[in-house]
């Protein structure tokens, strides 16, 4: 059977979203205030009139608004943005605990991508363009991919710096000598397993430089694609194929990301080791 979606990705209660919408909360507050004001000179009965009227309007609205396509799209977009910003905050915190001398330059590239996303969001709000906010969301997701690639790159650099190829080679050679001298089958298998594990670590270490280069290339390609796409859309926002251009560009960036992270995945979870949060801002 298919795995269930995480709770954060499940469809929300659109009825509850309507109830807690700022306009609805304001309406309830106005009805309560009006009822309180009317109840002073005219009694409790008059004070209940605004509340009853609000309740009637609320009941009618609950029949239509939660199922309205526009309202559902509004709620879904807001929740996607909330999830995206939580993920962004987590990635930034992880990166801040690992950044190196090249951090200012890479942060500059990231912030420039974010500026392009903000600018295209403004373009999408204009009537004379076919670009929509949903289209721009895809580019905003690409900025998260950029942060994910950067974090993967930092993790691999940490691994490369913490492992010594010469020491590993010597340890493997020492284990081979011990294996040849070992007479007990159980101990021989234990040492052979340890030797095999170290050989796997050594092989992974020797491929780290290639993986790091691959991820760095994907990061550079992603930022360049974002810049080129921004220039094309801003130059001709009324073009009928701007949405297609953005979708094609994001799809290409996704392919590049999958190729890079397929190599990095051997290194384990991004959150290892847990960094100490620094006071320095992004």
């Amino acid at each position: 059977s298919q795995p269930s979606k995480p709770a954060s990705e499940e469809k929300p209660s659109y009825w509850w979203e309507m109830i807690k919408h700022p306009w609805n909360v304001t309406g309830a507050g106005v009805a309560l205030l009006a009822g309180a004001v009317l109840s002073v000179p005219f009694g409790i009965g008059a004070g209940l009139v605004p509340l009853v009227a609000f309740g009637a309007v609320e009941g009618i609205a609950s029949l239509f608004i939660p199922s309205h396509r526009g309202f559902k799209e509004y709620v879904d977009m807001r929740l996607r943005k909330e999830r995206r910003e939580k993920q962004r905050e987590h990635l930034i915190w992880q990166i801040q605990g690992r950044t190196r001398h090249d951090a200012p330059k890479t942060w500059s590239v990231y912030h420039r991508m974010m500026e392009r996303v903000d600018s295209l969001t403004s373009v999408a709000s204009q009537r004379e363009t076919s670009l929509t906010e949903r289209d721009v969301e895809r580019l905003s997701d690409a900025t998260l991919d950029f942060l994910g690639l950067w974090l993967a790159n930092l993790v691999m650099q940490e691994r490369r710096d913490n492992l010594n190829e010469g020491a590993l080679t010597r340890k493997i050679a020492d284990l081979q000598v011990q294996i040849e001298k070992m007479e007990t089958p159980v101990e021989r298998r234990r040492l052979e397993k340890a030797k095999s594990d170290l050989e796997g670590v050594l092989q992974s270490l020797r491929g780290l430089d290639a993986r790091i280069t691959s991820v760095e290339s994907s990061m550079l390609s992603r930022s360049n694609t974002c810049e080129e796409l921004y220039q094309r859309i801003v130059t001709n926002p009324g073009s009928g194929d701007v949405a297609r251009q953005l979708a094609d560009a994001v799809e290409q960036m996704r392919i590049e990301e999958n190729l890079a992270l397929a190599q990095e995945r051997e290194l384990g979870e991004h959150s290892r080791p847990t960094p100490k949060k620094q006071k320095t801002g992004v």
Side-chain angles (χ1 to χ4, degrees), residues 13-14 21 26 60-61 66 88 142 158 160 175 203 224 235 269:
S13 169
Y14 296 106
H21 190 281
T26 300
I60 295 173
R88 190 185 308 279
E158 283 181 354
R160 181 184 61 186
L175 284 173
Q203 183 178 1
N224 287 341
T235 301
E269 297 294 331

Side-chain angles (χ1 to χ4, degrees), residues 211-263:
R211 298 189 188 108
I212 290 172
T213 300
S214 175
V215 170
E216 290 176 345
S217 298
S218 185
M219 290 172 63
L220 178 61
S221 174
R222 191 171 300 271
S223 62
N224 287 341
T225 301
C226 180
E227 186 67 23
E228 292 173 359
L229 182 63
Y230 168 80
Q231 296 297 336
R232 288 202 302 268
I233 294 178
V234 170
T235 301
N236 188 13
S239 174
D241 64 344
V242 292
R244 181 188 58 78
Q245 292 177 13
L246 189 147
D248 291 345
V250 171
E251 180 62 24
Q252 181 60 35
M253 288 190 286
R254 289 285 187 182
I255 293 174
E256 294 171 355
E257 177 204 13
N258 291 337
L259 291 175
L261 292 185
Q263 298 176 340

Side-chain angles (χ1 to χ4, degrees), residues 84 88 110 113-114 117 136-149 222-223 226 249-250 253-254 257:
R84 187 163 52 244
R88 190 185 308 279
Y110 167 71
M113 292 177 68
M114 291 300 300
V117 171
V136 181
E137 271 193 278
R138 297 187 179 95
L139 193 59
S140 184
D141 289 337
T143 64
L144 286 182
D145 296 337
F146 180 89
L147 290 176
L149 288 169
R222 191 171 300 271
S223 62
C226 180
V250 171
M253 288 190 286
R254 289 285 187 182
E257 177 204 13

Side-chain angles (χ1 to χ4, degrees), residues 89-100 107 151 154-155 158 269-279:
E89 181 181 355
H90 174 73
L91 287 171
I92 288 175
W93 175 72
Q94 290 277 351
I95 291 171
Q96 283 179 324
R98 293 181 166 93
T99 47
R100 303 185 175 199
W107 280 126
L151 179 57
L154 293 173
V155 169
E158 283 181 354
E269 297 294 331
H270 287 165
S271 57
R272 192 189 69 236
T274 301
K276 294 182 179 180
K277 190 172 184 179
Q278 298 179 347
K279 296 182 179 179

Side-chain angles (χ1 to χ4, degrees), residues 26-203:
T26 300
V30 171
L32 285 172
L33 179 60
V37 171
L38 290 175
S39 65
V40 174
F42 301 110
I44 296 178
L48 291 176
V49 172
L51 298 178
V52 172
F54 175 79
V57 173
E58 188 81 351
I60 295 173
S62 65
L63 297 176
F64 301 99
I65 293 180
S67 59
H68 190 272
R69 179 179 178 181
F71 180 74
K72 293 170 72 174
E73 289 178 351
Y74 158 78
V75 172
D76 291 342
M77 182 173 293
R78 178 178 60 79
L79 294 179
R80 284 195 303 268
K81 182 177 181 181
E82 290 177 358
R83 288 193 292 265
R84 187 163 52 244
E85 295 312 309
K86 286 181 180 179
Q87 184 180 359
R88 190 185 308 279
E89 181 181 355
H90 174 73
L91 287 171
I92 288 175
W93 175 72
Q94 290 277 351
I95 291 171
Q96 283 179 324
R98 293 181 166 93
T99 47
R100 303 185 175 199
H101 63 279
D102 62 341
K105 181 179 178 181
T106 311
W107 280 126
S108 178
V109 172
Y110 167 71
H111 287 309
R112 187 172 182 82
M113 292 177 68
M114 291 300 300
E115 290 172 1
R116 297 319 192 197
V117 171
D118 292 339
S119 180
L120 290 178
T121 301
S122 299
V123 172
S125 65
Q126 302 172 5
R127 293 184 178 180
E128 58 270 18
T129 180
S130 61
L131 190 68
T132 66
E133 292 185 3
R134 186 68 182 100
D135 294 327
V136 181
E137 271 193 278
R138 297 187 179 95
L139 193 59
S140 184
D141 289 337
T143 64
L144 286 182
D145 296 337
F146 180 89
L147 290 176
L149 288 169
W150 187 8
L151 179 57
N153 188 34
L154 293 173
V155 169
M156 288 188 289
Q157 290 183 24
E158 283 181 354
R159 183 176 176 86
R160 181 184 61 186
D161 294 344
N162 292 334
L163 294 175
N164 186 294
E165 182 175 349
L168 283 172
T169 302
R170 289 191 296 272
K171 182 63 177 176
I172 291 172
D174 291 342
L175 284 173
Q176 182 59 41
V177 173
Q178 295 180 46
I179 291 171
E180 293 174 354
K181 294 180 179 179
M182 191 62 59
E183 297 181 356
T184 307
V186 174
E187 289 299 318
R188 184 190 300 272
R189 286 194 296 271
R190 183 178 64 83
L191 292 178
E192 288 175 345
K193 176 62 168 58
K195 177 173 173 287
S196 177
D197 290 342
L198 287 180
E199 288 174 340
V201 173
L202 181 60
Q203 183 178 1

